[in-house]
Amino acid sequence: MFNDALRVGIYIPTRKLSCDEINYLIKQEEVSSLALERFLSAEISWNDYLDILEVCNVDIDDYLETSDQNFASIM
């Protein structure tokens, strides 16, 4: 339940992407998923998790707003 509410969705543009851009998006998804797993298993703190998302170029304000909406819809 928490996993779904906190999962990060990586935006994939509709334009044609280069191999480098595709690889970068895959790495963003992989890193954010691993960070979520570590957070949910209490291996890293909430602040560390958000720092990792920032490194993955996630807009933290948007992420927190979306996560809050996700929790509201499942509670």
Side-chain angles (χ1 to χ4, degrees):
M1 175 169 66
F2 291 120
N3 193 5
D4 292 336
L6 293 172
R7 183 160 305 284
V8 172
I10 302 298
Y11 169 74
I12 300 175
T14 55
R15 66 178 173 77
K16 188 173 182 176
L17 299 173
S18 70
C19 287
D20 288 341
E21 290 171 315
I22 292 169
N23 286 332
Y24 178 74
L25 291 172
I26 291 169
K27 287 185 190 303
Q28 278 184 303
E29 175 65 28
E30 183 178 16
V31 169
S32 65
S33 292
L34 289 171
L36 179 58
E37 287 177 27
R38 299 298 190 271
F39 169 68
L40 292 175
S41 64
E43 294 177 44
I44 63 173
S45 70
W46 176 248
N47 286 336
D48 288 342
Y49 174 63
L50 293 179
D51 287 344
I52 292 167
L53 293 184
E54 247 182 334
V55 169
C56 291
N57 293 319
V58 172
D59 183 311
I60 298 302
D61 292 332
D62 285 346
Y63 172 76
L64 293 174
E65 184 176 321
T66 301
S67 296
D68 188 45
Q69 292 169 356
N70 290 345
F71 277 114
S73 70
I74 61 174
M75 294 297 192

